[in-house]
Amino acid sequence: MTKKTITHNSRKITKAVFPVAGLGTRFLPATKSIPKEMLPVVDKPLIQYAVEEAVAAGVDTLIFITGRNKEAIANHFDKAYELEHELELKNKEERLRVVREIIPSHVDCIYIRQSEALGLGHAVLCAKKAVGNEPFAILLADDLIDGSGEPCLAQMAKVFEHTGGSVIAVEEVEHDKTDQYGIVQVENAADQRTTIQTIVEKPKPEEAPSDLAVVGRYILTPRIFDLLETTGKGAGGEIQLTDAISDLLGEQQINAYKFSGTRYDCGSKAGFLKANIEFALQHPDLVAQLEESSQKICGSAS
Ligand code: UTP
């Protein structure tokens, strides 16, 4: 079959899906009653960083795929009357501004419940009706990306505008970690943007086609929903987005894009702590206070 390169008239991404229904078991007990996406890096929950990234890329409709503990996320993006009133009374203007500016007024939030955590592919399929027949973005908030100069999704949106084909963010990972990621084989690994040839979920290092891993940012055409309808259980007994993307590859050209910036794997404790330290060092008021601790860390490491 000839692969189509351009599949949609619209090349503007206005809808983003945030799958937040995972169980987050690596962070128990912290995630017993709140989603891991509400864990804060310094003073902002992970999900807010992802939402800000999407809005900066032009998204105006946020679709959250939630699990049992949706309230914390819905409350976070809702107006907090009592809190705002209290801050007003106490003239805490800066804090009031922080609370009010969590989400711009032109942005809408949609919450959809994934009744069972059947996998990322299943979570994305839950967004089918809300997305409709448009290209859309998916952001996994536990991959926190500090784009160098330009947020990662905005970089990807440019690639989509230019090519009209789906775009998946990738980065090199250590060879012995391929079994934690979707791994792609690409046409030209030296290029920042290249074409994906194959994709496989969590291959053992000895079976991995490369060390180029998919990270939690995707721009996909809506055809993915039809394919997800028939995607069976894959790696780990879950319905995997990677398997549906593999089917999509048989029909459409898909771009792998090496984004500029740093990714923190905040689904793991080490990555989460690293993000907290490095983001804290970007806060001028925290740097001095952290110096003593960083000297201790450096001292014990030497
Ligand atoms: P993970 O693979 O990190 O799984 O999901 P998890 O359950 O969240 O975390 P651990 O491994 O138990 O600690 C990747 C992303 O997909 C979402 C998660 O919320 C996370 O953003 N997800 C996963 C769903 O929304 N639904 C699912 O059924 C599975």
Side-chain angles (χ1 to χ4, degrees):
M1 192 195 295
T2 322
K3 287 192 190 184
K4 292 179 196 158
T5 45
I6 298 169
T7 50
H8 270 267
N9 297 332
S10 163
R11 293 198 183 180
K12 222 176 142 33
I13 305 297
T14 60
K15 292 179 177 167
V17 176
F18 300 86
V20 290
L23 298 177
T25 55
R26 282 170 289 172
F27 273 93
L28 283 169
T31 49
K32 186 170 173 236
S33 63
I34 56 161
K36 76 173 162 192
E37 291 79 4
M38 282 303 291
L39 297 176
V41 167
V42 186
D43 51 8
K44 255 193 249 178
L46 285 167
I47 189 69
Q48 191 178 332
Y49 288 98
V51 161
E52 285 174 2
E53 185 183 325
V55 171
V59 165
D60 61 15
T61 306
L62 314 174
I63 303 165
F64 298 93
I65 309 301
T66 65
R68 271 175 302 121
N69 305 314
K70 115 179 181 171
E71 292 75 17
I73 289 180
N75 288 341
H76 185 72
F77 291 109
D78 198 3
K79 192 171 170 70
Y81 287 103
E82 295 86 350
L83 177 62
E84 288 187 22
H85 184 63
E86 280 299 311
L87 292 172
E88 252 166 359
L89 284 180
K90 291 179 179 160
N91 288 323
K92 303 219 162 161
E93 280 165 29
E94 178 52 21
R95 289 178 195 177
L96 187 60
R97 187 188 62 77
V98 165
V99 169
R100 282 188 173 152
E101 289 182 0
I102 284 180
I103 203 163
S105 56
H106 72 281
V107 172
D108 290 326
C109 296
I110 297 172
Y111 297 90
I112 296 169
R113 179 99 162 216
Q114 183 190 21
S115 45
E116 256 186 289
L118 297 179
L120 176 59
H122 180 257
V124 171
L125 181 57
C126 293
K128 182 178 177 172
K129 265 196 202 154
V131 170
N133 192 29
E134 284 180 37
F136 66 104
I138 304 171
L139 294 94
L140 305 187
D142 51 0
D143 269 338
L144 173 57
I145 301 183
D146 191 0
S148 42
E150 188 174 29
C152 179
L153 192 70
Q155 297 174 36
M156 293 169 68
K158 280 189 186 157
V159 176
F160 182 75
E161 264 175 45
H162 184 65
T163 65
S166 298
V167 188
I168 298 182
V170 296
E171 77 173 8
E172 295 277 350
V173 294
E174 288 164 35
H175 184 62
D176 62 353
K177 299 218 164 73
T178 58
D179 57 1
Q180 298 174 18
Y181 295 92
I183 299 290
V184 293
Q185 186 175 28
V186 294
E187 205 169 81
N188 191 348
D191 290 350
Q192 183 169 34
R193 184 206 66 77
T194 181
T195 303
I196 298 179
Q197 292 170 323
T198 58
I199 184 167
V200 53
E201 183 65 19
K202 299 189 172 70
K204 291 183 192 143
E206 58 274 23
E207 288 163 12
S210 77
D211 295 340
L212 212 47
V214 172
V215 304
R217 300 291 182 279
Y218 310 74
I219 292 177
L220 296 175
T221 56
R223 171 73 180 140
I224 197 72
F225 293 121
D226 303 328
L227 299 169
L228 279 168
E229 303 264 19
T230 54
T231 303
K233 286 183 183 171
E238 296 193 340
I239 297 174
Q240 297 288 355
L241 180 60
T242 301
D243 294 341
I245 292 173
S246 178
D247 292 341
L248 190 63
L249 265 182
E251 304 176 7
Q252 298 177 6
Q253 208 168 325
I254 303 181
N255 299 293
Y257 176 71
K258 288 186 200 162
F259 59 93
S260 305
T262 307
R263 177 186 70 101
Y264 300 89
D265 174 12
C266 292
S268 77
K269 285 176 196 161
F272 177 73
L273 293 171
K274 199 168 162 217
N276 265 291
I277 293 167
E278 294 189 15
F279 274 65
L281 293 174
Q282 294 175 20
H283 282 243
D285 51 328
L286 292 176
V287 175
Q289 296 175 60
L290 282 173
E291 251 167 24
E292 200 186 323
S293 306
S294 58
Q295 277 163 8
K296 272 190 204 158
I297 294 169
C298 295
S300 61
S302 59

